[in-house]
Amino acid sequence: MKRNMTDLTSRQKIILSLIVHEHTRTAQPVASKTLIEDYGLQISSATVRNEMNTLTELGLIRQPHTSAGRVPTEEGYRFFVSNLVQQTTLPTATRNTITHQFYQSRRGLDHWLPLAASVLANQSQAVSLVTAPHSEKIAFKHLELISTRGSQVLMVLVLVGGEIRQQILALDQVYSQESLSRTANQFNQDLENKAAHQIEMLEASADPLTQQILAAILDQMHLTEDLVTGELFLDGLSNLLSTPEFSSTNQDHSPLRLLEERPLLNDLFSRTVLTEDIGGVQVLIGGEGAWQDLRNCSVILSRYGIQDQLSGMLGILGPMRMSYGHAISAVHFVADLLSDLIADTLID
Amino acid sequence: MKRNMTDLTSRQKIILSLIVHEHTRTAQPVASKTLIEDYGLQISSATVRNEMNTLTELGLIRQPHTSAGRVPTEEGYRFFVSNLVQQTTLPTATRNTITHQFYQSRRGLDHWLPLAASVLANQSQAVSLVTAPHSEKIAFKHLELISTRGSQVLMVLVLVGGEIRQQILALDQVYSQESLSRTANQFNQDLENKAAHQIEMLEASADPLTQQILAAILDQMHLTEDLVTGELFLDGLSNLLSTPEFSSTNQDHSPLRLLEERPLLNDLFSRTVLTEDIGGVQVLIGGEGAWQDLRNCSVILSRYGIQDQLSGMLGILGPMRMSYGHAISAVHFVADLLSDLIADTLID
DNA sequence: TCTTAGCACTCTCATATCGAGAGTGCTAAT
DNA sequence: ATTAGCACTCTCGATATGAGAGTGCTAAGA
């Protein structure tokens, strides 16, 4: 039973908003009296209680026990996020500070991604996660073969989009750096911008070195890989742990399992933001029935990068009681910022 | 007041060992009766109590309150680790399983390091941490310049040891891939195996492209960088959190701060294993007075890699109450294993 | 019909009390 | 030196109690 805008009077919306806001602040059930005192409502507490009753019947809030204040339910948060949350943009000062940090740091994803994680964690006071971006269409850009010791060779493969793969190859015999370079250059001429299936259709060479390298290249390109095979940047773990939801005795660390187990993360990503276009922010409240581990958590995710070329995921994971307005803005802003930075340095 | 082997009778040593063992198992204070019942000691509980008294006076164990069993003190653990811990090698079956996992996985650090972290976490039931290895003497091995878009160039710099640095350069004008390759090849001939200070002494070139690239190379090589600037692999966080020490209400998440803040980690590393030769395992119990954050934790660290060439750190962080024998063996074994693997694929 | 003052009612939480049980330290006997 | 026996101490869970918070309901007022 999905509620929409029109099911609630504007006063009910205000009260729900205030409950969410106050509960987010204090982590305590919210009493009718608190509402009129702290927010200066021009109605009596009895009226507020009546409205609360209605909201409770609608399943948007609940009382932990008979004589306690109210707490938003999962549904309540969903309604709030869908219909009531405002301020979809970060304060200008904050935006400037963050932007500054990015442009001040050394150029390159290896600095930007941890920074993004750190910014997200600080802004949201939750755990942040950022995956390295991943080429969407995997195509050959450049190859380099570096002789190391004996028959061992370091292969550096650059894909269109800028992803770099490295691998140590044990070849059948010792080759000179010269012949390695010659072979690499040949590949660079022949394979530029070609995808794996195009490369496979090319005529096979008789040269054993070429054969071995080609096999390795295709091998690397076929590692279509899950989204989070690459690096994953986490930050703000202590934020999550110091939250009352996790400190209380009824310990439940299952949300953290999600962060440690790549398959779970992959599942989460592929069933949410992966289906979205870049730029859209998705909010998952309480696991949405699908992720038992996220029972008491909310996740805010976005894809970033360049559509159809290079993209990654970023987002935050926090207790269900969180500042959705701010958190969503932060995720949105950082995703856009990273996308812009990547666009500036895209390798195509 | 440092105790050594000879300060304790052999029976006292046995009792201390048993207390450590039992407490590690149950996380509870150990009673004299438990000891004789569960471990079949041929003496009475009263005798055990007398010995316990002595050990208490020596500061090796303590009682949480008047009528409770005994718990090892920090000092007690230190004595145990220094003098009593046995079995410095993992069971053969375990060793084989682990080795198999490594040789079965795809070749390369990017697979080995996370695997090492995972193995350590599983074996120790604690948090594991593994840093990517780092060249000890930074020297030029190979350079590649790849034209991307406009005046932007992707620079891939391979250092002796196999470390790969990449950077996007914004050059003063557009250069053809051909001239980029020519310049790169020139560098490859001139700079092979040279360290930064040797490169600086070379005669400056008048060519603007060469100048820009050289500056970027030196810039990268001068990033002497802290040890853990590179990737850091963590695993087993949930192990630590599900431990009674962390679940209890007297929450203290400070140990986790250590894992999130690079400067702290750097400090820890540089003041411990960095001073050791590769292969030695260091055990820090209760922060050893220097790290307040580690008050109730123990850390077992080792350096791995190739002496004077390429090395990284790995280890575990767990509650002070841990299976030191097993944990130390695990750290030792994984470090050696990684060192061997790296030796096989070293780029020199 | 909507609002609100007033009040009884319920439930939590902090505090105090209590007894059982665990485990010790000590003493005296072996 | 060891140990049986016992008094003693302290924790911990159970039980009781009272204050206070917050509600729901009722009846009066707008």
Side-chain angles (χ1 to χ4, degrees):
Chain A
M1 59 161 183
K2 194 158 176 160
R3 318 246 145 255
N4 65 38
M5 263 323 246
T6 55
D7 286 339
L8 265 60
T9 67
S10 77
R11 191 169 67 189
Q12 286 166 342
K13 288 181 200 163
I14 290 175
I15 290 178
L16 177 56
S17 295
L18 293 183
I19 291 176
V20 168
H21 183 265
E22 182 68 8
H23 179 66
T24 310
R25 211 173 58 81
T26 62
Q28 296 293 325
V30 181
S32 53
K33 215 180 89 187
T34 314
L35 243 40
I36 57 167
E37 281 178 357
D38 292 12
Y39 293 89
L41 290 192
Q42 294 308 316
I43 48 180
S44 79
S45 66
T47 309
V48 174
R49 281 201 292 282
N50 283 334
E51 297 287 35
M52 280 177 159
N53 229 325
T54 315
L55 291 173
T56 305
E57 279 162 13
L58 290 174
L60 298 175
I61 57 180
R62 66 187 174 83
Q63 9 187 0
H65 49 264
T66 325
S67 93
R70 300 304 210 287
V71 168
T73 61
E74 215 171 292
E75 282 254 345
Y77 280 120
R78 290 217 188 90
F79 185 91
F80 176 78
V81 169
S82 309
N83 304 310
L84 305 178
V85 76
Q86 65 241 53
Q87 179 206 3
T88 124
T89 168
L90 244 35
T92 315
T94 314
R95 292 213 310 271
N96 289 341
T97 310
I98 296 175
T99 309
H100 187 90
Q101 284 183 283
F102 274 87
Y103 280 98
Q104 190 178 36
S105 89
R106 183 173 283 271
R107 249 161 170 246
L109 283 175
D110 41 341
H111 295 92
W112 291 335
L113 299 183
L115 181 55
S118 160
V119 166
L120 281 176
N122 280 326
Q123 287 296 320
S124 66
Q125 288 299 303
V127 174
S128 64
L129 47 170
V130 179
T131 72
H134 182 67
S135 297
E136 305 212 339
K137 52 165 206 267
I138 298 192
F140 182 98
K141 169 76 188 176
H142 194 96
L143 176 73
E144 195 62 20
L145 297 173
I146 301 165
S147 158
T148 63
R149 194 178 33 171
S151 59
Q152 270 190 170
V153 163
L154 173 64
M155 173 176 96
V156 179
L157 177 64
V158 182
L159 300 178
V160 170
E163 215 174 320
I164 295 188
R165 306 269 181 89
Q166 52 181 292
Q167 188 179 356
I168 305 255
L169 300 177
L171 298 180
D172 61 338
Q173 60 168 88
V174 179
Y175 292 94
S176 69
Q177 176 64 54
E178 204 178 340
S179 51
L180 290 174
S181 296
R182 209 178 323 113
T183 306
N185 282 332
Q186 190 62 48
F187 276 120
N188 285 332
Q189 282 177 31
D190 296 349
L191 303 187
E192 171 131 30
N193 283 321
K194 288 213 164 41
H197 66 272
Q198 296 174 297
I199 295 177
E200 278 165 339
M201 282 162 44
L202 296 180
E203 195 172 337
S205 160
D207 175 40
L209 175 58
T210 306
Q211 280 176 2
Q212 290 173 77
I213 302 299
L214 185 59
I217 293 174
L218 285 173
D219 195 27
Q220 281 290 352
M221 293 179 74
H222 276 137
L223 279 186
T224 163
E225 4 198 337
D226 303 314
L227 281 160
V228 280
T229 298
E231 284 189 75
L232 176 65
F233 299 88
L234 293 184
D235 205 337
L237 268 171
S238 38
N239 289 338
L240 193 57
L241 293 175
S242 53
T243 226
E245 283 81 345
F246 283 76
S247 310
S248 63
T249 45
N250 56 342
Q251 297 285 336
D252 179 16
H253 308 112
S254 48
L256 291 175
R257 280 189 31 213
L258 203 75
L259 303 178
E260 289 205 307
E261 296 185 25
R262 297 304 182 93
L264 294 178
L265 259 189
N266 263 316
D267 180 49
L268 179 64
F269 284 155
S270 52
R271 284 163 67 182
T272 54
V273 276
L274 190 51
T275 63
E276 285 272 304
D277 276 357
I278 286 175
V281 173
Q282 285 210 350
V283 183
L284 260 81
I285 294 170
E288 308 278 347
W291 289 275
Q292 197 58 21
D293 288 338
L294 294 178
R295 218 169 317 115
N296 300 305
C297 298
S298 285
V299 176
I300 303 180
L301 293 174
S302 174
R303 217 160 140 209
Y304 71 90
I306 316 277
Q307 191 78 45
D308 294 328
Q309 298 216 42
L310 189 69
S311 78
M313 312 280 169
L314 59 77
I316 61 170
L317 162 64
M320 209 186 292
R321 170 188 68 82
M322 73 159 82
S323 280
Y324 287 96
H326 193 76
I328 292 173
S329 316
V331 169
H332 200 107
F333 180 68
V334 174
D336 283 355
L337 188 51
L338 264 188
S339 297
D340 289 348
L341 288 167
I342 288 179
D344 284 349
T345 58
L346 187 68
I347 291 166
D348 55 4
Chain B
M1 57 162 186
K2 194 156 176 165
R3 318 248 144 252
N4 66 37
M5 259 329 243
T6 56
D7 286 338
L8 265 60
T9 67
S10 77
R11 191 169 67 189
Q12 286 166 344
K13 288 181 199 162
I14 291 175
I15 291 179
L16 177 56
S17 295
L18 293 183
I19 291 176
V20 168
H21 183 265
E22 182 68 8
H23 179 66
T24 311
R25 211 173 57 82
T26 63
Q28 296 294 325
V30 182
S32 54
K33 215 179 89 188
T34 315
L35 242 41
I36 56 166
E37 280 178 357
D38 292 11
Y39 293 90
L41 289 191
Q42 294 307 315
I43 48 179
S44 80
S45 66
T47 309
V48 174
R49 281 202 292 282
N50 284 332
E51 297 286 36
M52 280 176 158
N53 229 324
T54 316
L55 292 173
T56 305
E57 278 163 13
L58 290 173
L60 298 175
I61 56 180
R62 66 185 174 83
Q63 8 185 1
H65 50 261
T66 323
S67 94
R70 299 304 209 286
V71 169
T73 62
E74 217 171 291
E75 282 254 346
Y77 281 121
R78 288 217 190 91
F79 185 92
F80 176 78
V81 170
S82 308
N83 304 309
L84 304 177
V85 75
Q86 65 241 52
Q87 181 208 2
T88 125
T89 167
L90 246 35
T92 315
T94 314
R95 292 214 309 273
N96 289 341
T97 311
I98 296 175
T99 310
H100 187 90
Q101 284 182 284
F102 274 88
Y103 280 98
Q104 191 178 36
S105 89
R106 183 173 282 270
R107 249 160 169 248
L109 283 175
D110 41 339
H111 296 92
W112 291 334
L113 299 183
L115 181 54
S118 160
V119 166
L120 280 177
N122 280 327
Q123 288 296 319
S124 66
Q125 289 298 304
V127 174
S128 63
L129 46 170
V130 179
T131 72
H134 182 68
S135 299
E136 304 212 341
K137 51 166 210 266
I138 298 192
F140 182 98
K141 170 77 188 176
H142 194 96
L143 175 73
E144 196 61 22
L145 297 173
I146 301 164
S147 156
T148 63
R149 195 178 30 171
S151 60
Q152 269 189 169
V153 164
L154 173 65
M155 173 175 95
V156 179
L157 176 65
V158 182
L159 301 177
V160 170
E163 217 175 316
I164 295 187
R165 306 271 182 88
Q166 52 180 294
Q167 188 180 355
I168 304 254
L169 301 177
L171 299 180
D172 61 337
Q173 61 167 89
V174 179
Y175 293 94
S176 69
Q177 176 63 53
E178 205 178 338
S179 52
L180 291 174
S181 297
R182 211 178 321 115
T183 306
N185 282 333
Q186 191 60 48
F187 276 121
N188 285 332
Q189 282 175 32
D190 296 348
L191 303 188
E192 172 130 33
N193 283 321
K194 288 213 164 40
H197 66 272
Q198 295 174 297
I199 294 177
E200 279 166 339
M201 282 160 43
L202 296 179
E203 196 173 338
S205 160
D207 175 40
L209 175 56
T210 306
Q211 279 177 3
Q212 288 174 78
I213 302 298
L214 185 60
I217 293 174
L218 285 173
D219 194 27
Q220 281 289 352
M221 292 179 75
H222 276 137
L223 278 184
T224 164
E225 2 198 339
D226 303 313
L227 282 159
V228 281
T229 298
E231 285 189 73
L232 176 66
F233 299 88
L234 292 185
D235 205 338
L237 267 171
S238 38
N239 289 337
L240 193 58
L241 293 176
S242 54
T243 226
E245 283 81 345
F246 283 75
S247 310
S248 63
T249 44
N250 56 342
Q251 298 285 333
D252 178 15
H253 308 112
S254 48
L256 292 175
R257 280 190 29 214
L258 204 74
L259 303 178
E260 289 205 308
E261 296 185 25
R262 298 302 182 94
L264 294 179
L265 260 189
N266 264 316
D267 180 49
L268 180 64
F269 284 154
S270 53
R271 286 164 66 182
T272 55
V273 278
L274 190 51
T275 64
E276 285 273 303
D277 276 356
I278 286 173
V281 173
Q282 285 211 349
V283 184
L284 260 81
I285 295 170
E288 308 279 346
W291 289 274
Q292 197 57 23
D293 288 339
L294 294 177
R295 218 168 318 115
N296 300 307
C297 297
S298 285
V299 175
I300 302 179
L301 292 175
S302 175
R303 217 161 139 211
Y304 72 90
I306 317 275
Q307 191 77 46
D308 293 329
Q309 297 217 41
L310 190 69
S311 77
M313 312 280 170
L314 59 77
I316 61 169
L317 162 65
M320 209 186 289
R321 170 188 68 81
M322 73 160 82
S323 281
Y324 287 96
H326 192 77
I328 292 174
S329 316
V331 169
H332 200 105
F333 180 69
V334 174
D336 282 356
L337 188 51
L338 264 190
S339 296
D340 289 348
L341 289 167
I342 288 179
D344 285 349
T345 57
L346 187 69
I347 292 166
D348 54 5

